[in-house]
């Protein structure tokens, strides 16, 4: 296609990048998920089946042409290379005037002989620009585009292949951050094999906000199609079909799978899921669709065979869930095999997920962990916090169990708080302080503890950025739902949960249900939108209170708003709405008779300290959260007013389930229940988003230390200097409105010293992975008010012990 050239730099970049490459599939809202049977609570059975995972392995090694590794060290064919032009006019470039430069290697690079002079083409200017490359691009010969680029500010790029001027296939947009060195970007296009006719143009579009961008290399790569699913010779991973993620491995028509298990003595069954991600579907044609043949055979010769035709409809790709009774076998070793049959030479693919043997045992309690995003502690009727709000179902839950009135979370931002909850590791030690950095696979999670104990594990999240790809929180879950849109309602989340539970009617489950309704934008459905606001009054036309509308309220949240009372009524309406939906979960027998924990990731400021409809602070409004626990034989209507921490919920759930919690961090809250008036409590620490500030809460005192210079651009109501310190007496000022530091300076000095000592003792390892560069995720988070700090802003120590600002000098 194009002349060959030296690819040393590109291959070195690919080697580094592909060590951590994982499949990224665009997730769509799970549609029609309630259509396969009655999911009413009356059909829920008692949980009396333990589940055991059945590991699968390939029946044969990978063929040389199918190995996953050559994409790293691949000898790219000459015709797959795209040489840079000698003149700027060789390609069609829109939006700027490009220029070509010859870059010579440094002396050290030249001496190695591996870095010859290279030509780059540069596109300057802070405007949208595009690069059009004509050619004959045969989709059956490649499925990735690799760009090696240099950028000097954050930039977003995506690629498309066109035919006769019409876009045929495009990639997800990728955001690349500034760097002093060239970076390799990979654009994954597994669906190219579905286009037998060649493309005639490659379009690279650049957002332009980063200014100049230089292209060093542009390459087409061919990744083995089977590599887009988890290798059965390795670990299972979550596989997305629509918005439904299930843990499994890949099955190829060129490579069968096998496994082995011991059948239960009586009454057990085998369950698994089959599905094909939309971008891996088999090319359409008159031939029969691929089918999966499943065989079970015991040592005594008993045998079961089933065949399942794959549903590959392009409109609504779905998993198929299968249950096979094991009555033919009893206490026998059973050999299990999966074969994918297709009547073409072209490779067919299928995901095999959630392979489990269900064994009858004595009843085990199901566990439901609910996190209500952005839910203030005082916004429950049971809280008696002076707030006019109706939450009858959560109040009823508190009446049945234990209500912790003084629970603090460890941070004020969604993903880091949920990661701390699921690992019982403080954000100080996870080093995850924003919504863009995922949890690493080596972390020990609550879901993994339950899964290893024989529970089926399910996560239903209502915000896109909590999906596994962005948060890493899917590890340990057999199934996970995340929406393709930025968020979904509580009703939609409960619909998905009910659908999932139909496959586990007689199996103990650990469920994490996340609800996002209380987060901005506040837009409760009817009739909840008028529940706390007068009917017939237009808040955008009248201003009964006469209060001035802050600029950020009008611009960011409620353009044109006149009545400042209106937003808070909508926030309450959202909470009453989600409470109404939670009734569906609370009435399910498996949870009504099991274990339920209700809490939040953080709270919300509704004007406190000049912070409107955000949680960008460490005041109690942002980190004081509700916590309710119910479990078999728990004390009823017990209120605990002593200080507790949300990060200890996981350890407590393991203990309540009768499981060994010794290997899981955290402390049990049962001691607070058994001895509500136990003596002095340890300090509670918190860290804000991006590590801007930290807090210590102990007894009557609440101290906030600002770790960096920051101001309104980070969402905080006032600018703060590094080292600036606030002190509040919560015994008389529960919302921390009056700073009493000057009157209690020695108290502040002591508490501040404890806080700084705690900060500098952070774990050096951390649990954070690489920040996301998916442009859609970044855009959705920005729409929800989450800013993205640069990697350097959050690297290194949380606290500079050599701080010499005016505030730091005062405390020396």
């Amino acid at each position: 296609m194009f002349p060959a050239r030296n690819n040393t730099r590109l291959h070195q970049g690919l080697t580094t990048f592909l060590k951590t490459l994982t499949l990224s599939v665009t997730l769509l809202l799970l549609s029609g998920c309630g259509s396969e049977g009655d999911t009413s609570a009356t059909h829920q059975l008692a949980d009396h089946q333990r589940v055991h995972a059945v590991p699968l392995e390939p029946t044969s090694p990978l063929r040389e042409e199918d190995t996953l590794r050559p994409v790293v060290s691949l000898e790219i064919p000459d015709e797959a290379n795209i040489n840079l032009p000698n003149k700027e006019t060789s390609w069609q470039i829109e939006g700027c005037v490009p220029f070509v430069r010859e870059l010579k290697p440094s002396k050290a690079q030249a001496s190695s002989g591996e870095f010859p002079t290279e030509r780059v083409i540069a596109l300057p200017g802070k405007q949208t620009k595009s690069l059009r490359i004509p050619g004959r691009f045969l989709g059956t010969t490649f499925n990735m585009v690799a760009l090696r680029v240099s950028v000097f500010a954050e930039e977003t790029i995506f690629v498309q292949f066109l035919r006769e001027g019409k876009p045929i296939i495009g990639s997800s947009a990728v955001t690349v951050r500034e760097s002093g060195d060239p970076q390799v970007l990979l654009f994954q296009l597994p669906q190219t094999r579905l286009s037998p006719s060649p493309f005639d143009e490659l379009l690279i579009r650049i957002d332009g906000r980063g200014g100049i961008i230089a292209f060093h290399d542009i390459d087409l790569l061919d990744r083995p199609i089977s590599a887009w699913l988890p290798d059965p010779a390795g670990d299972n991973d979550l596989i997305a079909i629509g918005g439904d993620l299930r843990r499994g491995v890949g099955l190829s028509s060129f490579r069968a799978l096998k496994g082995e298990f011991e059948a239960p003595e009586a009454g057990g069954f085998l369950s698994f899921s089959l599905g094909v991600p939309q971008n891996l579907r088999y090319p359409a044609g008159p031939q029969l669709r691929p089918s999966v043949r499943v065989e079970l055979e015991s040592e005594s010769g008993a045998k079961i065979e089933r065949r399942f035709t794959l549903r590959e409809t392009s409109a609504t790709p779905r998993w198929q869930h299968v249950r096979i009774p094991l009555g033919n076998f009893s206490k026998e070793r059973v050999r299990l095999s999966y074969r994918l049959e297709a009547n073409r030479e072209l490779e067919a693919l299928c995901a095999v997920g959630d392979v489990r043997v269900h064994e009858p045992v004595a009843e085990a309690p199901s566990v439901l962990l609910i996190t209500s995003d952005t839910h203030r502690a005082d916004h429950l009727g049971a809280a008696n916090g002076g707030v006019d709000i109706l939450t009858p179902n959560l109040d009823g839950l508190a009446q049945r169990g234990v209500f912790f009135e003084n629970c603090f979370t460890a941070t004020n931002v969604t993903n880091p708080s949920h990661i701390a909850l699921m690992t019982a590791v403080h954000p100080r030690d996870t080093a995850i302080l924003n919504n863009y950095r995922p949890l690493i696979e080596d972390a020990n999670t609550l879901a993994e503890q339950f899964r290893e104990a024989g529970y089926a594990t399910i996560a239903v999240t209502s915000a896109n950025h909590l999906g596994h790809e962005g948060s890493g929180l899917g590890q340990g879950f057999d199934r996970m739902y995340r929406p393709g849109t930025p968020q979904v309602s509580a009703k939609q989340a409960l619909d998905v949960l009910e659908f999932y539970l139909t496959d586990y009617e007689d199996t103990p489950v650990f469920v994490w249900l996340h609800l996002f309704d209380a987060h901005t934008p506040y837009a409760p459905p009817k009739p909840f939108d008028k529940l706390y606001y007068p009917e017939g009054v237009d808040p955008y036309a009248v201003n009964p209170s006469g209060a001035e509308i802050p600029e950020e309220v009008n611009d960011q949240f409620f353009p044109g708003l006149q009545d400042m009372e209106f937003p808070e009524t909508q926030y309450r309406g959202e909470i009453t709405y989600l409470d109404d939906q939670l009734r569906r979960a609370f009435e399910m027998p498996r949870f009504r008779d099991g274990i339920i924990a209700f809490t939040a990731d953080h709270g919300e400021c509704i004007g406190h300290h000049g912070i409107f409809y955000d949680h960008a602070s460490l005041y109690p409004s942002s980190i004081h959260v509700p916590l309710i626990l119910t479990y078999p034989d728990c004390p009823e209507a017990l209120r605990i007013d002593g200080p507790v921490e949300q990060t200890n919920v996981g350890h407590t759930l393991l203990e309540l389930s009768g499981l060994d919690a010794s290997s899981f961090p955290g402390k049990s809250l049962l001691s607070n229940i058994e001895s509500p008036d136990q003596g002095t409590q340890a300090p509670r620490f918190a860290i804000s988003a991006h590590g801007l500030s930290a807090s210590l809460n102990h007894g009557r005192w609440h101290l906030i230390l600002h770790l960096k210079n920051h101001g309104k651009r980070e969402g905080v109501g006032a600018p703060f200097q590094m080292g600036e310190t606030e002190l509040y007496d919560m015994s008389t000022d529960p919302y921390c409105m009056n700073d009493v530091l000057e009157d209690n300076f020695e108290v502040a000095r002591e508490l501040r010293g404890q806080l700084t000592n705690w900060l500098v003792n952070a774990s050096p390892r951390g649990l954070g992975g690489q920040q996301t560069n998916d442009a859609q995720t970044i855009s959705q988070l920005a729409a929800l008010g989450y800013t993205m700090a640069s990697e350097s802003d959050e690297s290194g120590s949380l606290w500079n012990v050599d701080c010499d600002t005016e505030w730091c000098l005062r405390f020396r």
Side-chain angles (χ1 to χ4, degrees):
M1 189 185 301
F2 295 96
R5 70 176 189 304
N6 186 294
N7 284 302
T8 302
R9 290 184 178 87
L10 176 66
H11 290 169
Q12 290 174 336
L14 285 173
T15 301
T16 301
F17 189 95
L18 286 170
K19 284 180 180 177
T20 58
L21 179 65
T22 56
L23 176 62
S24 177
V25 181
T26 301
L27 299 177
L28 303 173
L29 190 64
L30 188 63
S31 58
C33 61
S35 61
E36 296 195 6
D38 188 346
T39 61
S40 64
T42 57
H43 286 73
Q44 298 288 350
L45 304 179
D47 300 334
H48 58 269
Q49 297 272 354
R50 282 286 191 206
V51 289
H52 306 281
V54 180
L56 299 177
E57 60 183 62
T59 57
S60 59
L62 283 172
R63 303 177 306 168
E64 183 176 349
E65 61 268 33
D66 290 333
T67 180
L68 301 179
R69 298 295 177 248
V71 73
V72 175
S73 57
L74 187 62
E75 192 66 35
I76 302 173
D78 293 343
E79 64 271 15
N81 297 334
I82 299 175
N83 254 5
L84 294 171
N86 291 316
K87 298 180 179 179
E88 293 88 335
T89 56
S90 299
W91 293 340
Q92 182 181 350
I93 297 172
E94 302 168 345
C96 69
V97 179
F99 56 89
V100 171
R101 290 289 184 269
E102 299 286 338
L103 298 183
K104 295 183 179 181
S106 65
K107 291 183 179 180
Q109 292 173 334
S111 63
S112 71
E114 297 181 1
F115 297 89
T117 298
E118 65 171 334
R119 184 185 307 114
V120 301
I121 184 167
L123 280 62
K126 290 190 174 183
Q127 63 277 332
T128 300
K129 37 195 177 276
S130 60
L131 182 61
R132 294 179 180 269
I133 304 171
R136 187 175 185 274
F137 307 101
L138 189 59
T140 55
T141 64
F142 73 94
N143 51 33
M144 298 177 75
V145 176
L147 307 180
R148 192 163 67 91
V149 301
S150 291
V151 297
F152 306 96
E154 185 179 286
E155 189 60 273
T156 298
I157 307 169
F158 77 94
V159 303
Q160 282 184 323
F161 282 91
L162 294 79
R163 189 182 299 128
E164 297 179 353
K166 295 181 179 180
I168 306 299
I169 288 177
S171 72
S172 298
V174 169
T175 295
V176 57
R177 298 177 184 87
E178 62 180 288
S179 173
D181 300 311
Q183 303 176 64
V184 175
L185 309 180
L186 293 181
F187 298 85
Q188 306 175 53
L189 299 161
Q191 66 272 36
T192 54
R193 71 174 190 155
L194 303 180
S195 297
S197 300
F199 311 109
D200 56 28
E201 186 176 53
L202 167 60
L203 169 66
I204 303 172
R205 189 175 299 278
I206 303 100
D207 182 72
R209 67 181 184 277
I212 189 171
I213 179 171
F215 289 88
H216 299 253
D217 296 302
I218 304 174
D219 283 77
L220 307 185
L221 306 176
D222 185 23
R223 188 183 188 204
I225 196 66
S226 59
W228 299 95
L229 290 174
D231 183 3
D235 295 331
N236 290 8
D237 204 352
L238 288 171
I239 302 169
I241 297 181
D244 187 348
L245 288 76
R246 305 191 185 186
R247 189 167 297 279
V249 296
L251 172 63
S252 164
S253 56
F254 296 165
R255 194 181 185 207
L257 300 176
K258 64 179 181 180
E260 193 170 309
F261 63 89
E262 183 171 329
E265 186 171 1
F269 59 91
L270 173 74
S271 71
F272 55 88
S273 299
L274 302 173
V276 182
Q278 185 162 337
N279 61 355
L280 298 179
R281 67 188 189 276
Y282 206 59
Q287 293 87 348
L288 294 177
R289 288 182 294 177
S291 61
V292 176
R293 191 174 78 213
V294 183
E295 294 183 356
L296 297 90
E297 186 173 4
S298 70
E299 296 170 340
S300 65
K303 191 173 183 178
I304 296 176
E305 181 177 329
R306 297 284 190 273
R307 187 183 300 272
F308 305 93
T309 300
L310 295 177
R311 305 170 184 169
E312 290 194 292
T313 58
S314 58
T316 55
R318 298 270 300 276
W319 287 96
Q320 298 171 241
H321 187 70
V322 177
R323 290 168 66 141
I324 299 177
L326 298 174
N328 290 22
F329 316 106
S330 179
K331 303 296 289 184
E332 289 188 275
R333 295 298 297 175
V334 178
R335 294 183 296 274
L336 169 66
S337 67
Y338 293 87
R339 288 179 172 80
L340 179 55
E341 299 176 341
N343 52 2
R344 289 186 184 181
E345 293 185 1
L346 187 64
E347 183 176 15
L349 296 173
C350 173
V352 181
D354 199 15
V355 183
R356 295 295 191 95
V357 170
H358 299 245
E359 177 183 7
V361 294
E363 282 195 17
S366 281
V367 181
L368 174 62
L369 170 59
I370 305 167
T371 56
S372 178
D373 209 295
T374 322
H375 198 138
R376 290 172 58 103
D378 58 2
H379 274 55
L380 288 177
N384 299 326
V387 177
D388 176 21
I389 191 165
L390 299 172
T391 54
N393 296 295
L394 287 167
D395 296 349
L397 190 72
Q399 191 66 27
R400 289 179 12 219
V402 183
F403 182 28
F404 294 87
E405 299 176 305
N406 187 6
C407 178
F408 273 31
T409 186
T411 185
N412 63 340
V413 63
T414 298
N415 286 25
S417 182
H418 281 100
I419 288 169
L421 173 64
M422 292 296 181
T423 61
V425 178
H426 199 284
R428 178 197 70 168
D429 299 314
T430 66
I432 300 173
L433 301 174
N434 61 42
N435 285 336
Y436 302 87
R437 188 182 300 280
L439 183 67
I440 61 173
E441 289 291 333
D442 292 343
N444 178 19
T445 70
L446 183 61
E448 288 172 320
Q449 295 286 316
F450 276 105
R451 191 169 188 268
E452 290 169 5
Y455 276 72
T457 52
I458 297 171
V460 177
T461 67
S462 298
N464 176 278
H465 60 275
L466 274 174
H468 180 63
E469 294 86 347
S471 70
L473 284 169
Q475 55 191 282
F477 286 104
D478 298 316
R479 299 190 186 182
M480 185 179 202
Y481 170 78
R482 72 137 206 202
T485 55
Q487 64 190 86
V488 295
S489 68
K491 180 185 183 303
Q492 292 168 295
L494 267 296
D495 287 346
V496 173
L497 177 58
E498 288 182 344
F499 173 67
Y500 278 0
L501 289 175
T502 59
D503 293 334
Y504 297 100
E505 285 186 332
D506 49 2
T507 302
V509 292
F510 166 65
V511 171
W512 167 36
L513 174 64
H514 166 259
L515 304 177
F516 203 66
D517 302 84
H519 196 287
T520 51
Y522 309 148
K526 293 181 182 303
F528 300 93
D529 59 334
K530 298 297 184 182
L531 192 59
Y532 304 106
Y533 196 76
E535 190 73 37
V537 177
D538 183 358
Y540 293 88
V542 298
N543 184 6
S545 67
E548 182 179 351
I549 308 296
E551 182 179 342
E552 56 266 34
V553 173
N554 257 327
D555 291 348
Q556 185 174 358
F557 300 107
F558 298 93
L561 181 70
Q562 296 297 313
D563 184 3
M564 278 294 291
E565 301 295 325
F566 178 71
E568 201 273 339
T569 67
Q570 300 307 285
Y571 177 71
R572 284 183 281 151
E574 291 278 23
I575 290 174
T576 300
Y577 164 69
L578 72 86
D579 175 88
D580 184 65
Q581 291 296 318
L582 281 174
R583 173 182 49 81
R584 298 160 60 184
F586 296 163
E587 289 179 353
M588 294 179 186
R590 70 188 329 153
F591 298 132
R592 186 186 63 219
D593 301 331
I595 300 168
I596 299 176
F598 175 87
T599 189
D601 56 345
H602 53 73
E604 184 80 320
C605 287
I606 311 175
H608 303 92
H609 297 271
I611 304 169
F612 292 91
Y613 325 126
D614 204 328
H615 30 276
S617 73
L618 293 179
Y619 302 112
S621 295
S622 288
I623 59 174
H624 185 192
V625 295
L627 175 58
I628 303 172
L629 271 180
T630 66
Y631 51 92
D633 301 320
C634 73
E636 293 186 2
L638 178 63
R639 303 175 77 94
I640 306 291
D641 61 4
V644 298
E645 296 178 81
Q646 178 240 46
T647 50
N648 290 325
V649 169
H651 192 102
T652 306
L653 293 178
L654 291 172
E655 282 201 4
L656 288 173
S657 303
L659 305 180
D660 181 9
S662 60
S663 63
F664 194 73
K667 300 176 182 178
S668 174
L669 296 173
L670 297 183
S671 59
N672 298 78
I673 296 172
E674 294 161 0
S675 304
D677 300 321
Q678 56 182 329
T680 305
Q681 298 289 319
R684 294 179 291 183
F685 299 97
I687 297 178
S688 74
H690 311 303
L692 297 176
S693 55
S695 68
L696 179 154
N697 181 275
H698 194 195
R700 60 192 277 200
W701 302 109
H702 188 74
L703 179 134
I704 299 174
L705 169 64
H706 297 277
L707 309 179
K708 302 174 183 178
N709 296 327
H710 61 100
K712 280 196 173 184
R713 65 185 181 85
E714 284 88 11
V716 179
F720 290 98
Q721 184 185 77
M722 176 190 289
E724 190 166 346
T725 306
E726 303 172 66
L727 181 67
Y728 300 93
D729 184 350
M730 292 188 63
S731 66
T732 58
D733 180 21
Y735 290 104
C736 295
M737 301 300 294
N738 301 303
D739 188 348
V740 296
L741 181 139
E742 298 301 338
D743 294 333
N744 300 273
F745 193 82
E746 290 308 313
V747 173
R749 184 194 299 278
E750 170 63 25
L751 296 175
R752 190 178 188 274
Q754 293 181 39
L755 179 55
T756 55
N757 287 339
W758 177 81
L759 288 167
V760 298
N761 281 295
S763 169
R765 181 169 176 263
L767 297 177
Q770 184 176 3
Q771 288 196 161
T772 182
N773 65 357
D774 179 73
Q776 181 182 17
T777 299
I778 294 170
S779 175
Q780 290 177 346
L781 284 167
L784 295 171
Y786 292 109
T787 59
M788 187 172 191
S790 68
E791 298 257 3
S792 60
D793 287 345
E794 297 179 9
S795 60
S797 175
L798 288 164
W799 174 243
N800 179 9
V801 295
D802 296 321
C803 170
D804 59 0
T805 66
E806 179 183 350
W807 273 93
C808 290
L809 294 176
R810 286 190 66 191
F811 283 93
R812 286 189 178 172

